[in-house]
Amino acid sequence: MAYFFLILIVALVHFGFVLFVIAGGLLAFQWPSILWWHLAGALYGIAIMLVGWRCPLTRLEAWLRERRGERLVTQWEFLRHYLWSHVGLRGNEWFITVVLMMAMVLFNYRAYRFVIVGS
């Protein structure tokens, strides 16, 4: 039972990080200094998608799932498991990376412009 709650906590933190990467710049309207944190997180998120790195939170959740006795097929991935598999995608399609990057730009453009330019 303890592994279930640990997996849940890691999954929620991971989901929060993904949301922050996609739209965290919007928090800059309230807290302008958060842009530096968002920029670092966004660059890290982009690098993970482009280079094919594996996020440490994904590794931790997969490790916890294995300890719980779950059988993981090949390389378990967070977004593939929680999002893409439910809409019939594998998660490694090129357009997913493009859509996520476009979403990041669209959600964050005004915030970055507001904080940097002031308008």
Side-chain angles (χ1 to χ4, degrees):
M1 192 65 157
Y3 282 118
F4 172 79
F5 288 112
L6 290 172
I7 291 168
L8 180 63
I9 290 168
V10 171
L12 289 173
V13 168
H14 203 170
F15 185 69
F17 179 74
V18 170
L19 284 179
F20 180 70
V21 165
I22 293 173
L26 299 176
L27 296 173
F29 288 113
Q30 182 68 30
W31 303 287
S33 62
I34 206 164
L35 276 187
W36 293 109
W37 290 99
H38 179 260
L39 182 61
L43 291 174
Y44 180 70
I46 289 170
I48 284 175
M49 288 188 294
L50 291 179
V51 177
W53 292 338
R54 196 159 189 220
C55 179
L57 290 170
T58 299
R59 289 176 195 250
L60 177 59
E61 187 174 347
W63 182 79
L64 288 169
R65 287 181 178 282
E66 288 174 348
R67 293 283 181 237
R68 185 173 181 225
E70 293 182 28
R71 184 160 186 222
L72 304 178
V73 181
T74 63
Q75 188 175 6
W76 187 90
E77 295 294 336
F78 180 81
L79 287 176
R80 187 175 301 150
H81 176 75
Y82 288 111
L83 184 62
W84 307 131
S85 65
H86 296 292
V87 294
L89 299 170
R90 289 187 318 263
N92 57 356
E93 293 86 357
W94 65 269
F95 61 86
I96 289 176
T97 302
V98 171
V99 167
L100 285 175
M101 286 188 201
M102 286 175 52
M104 284 176 46
V105 169
L106 291 174
F107 276 118
N108 297 295
Y109 172 75
R110 280 195 69 193
Y112 275 79
R113 184 169 176 241
F114 176 78
V115 171
I116 293 169
V117 178
S119 60

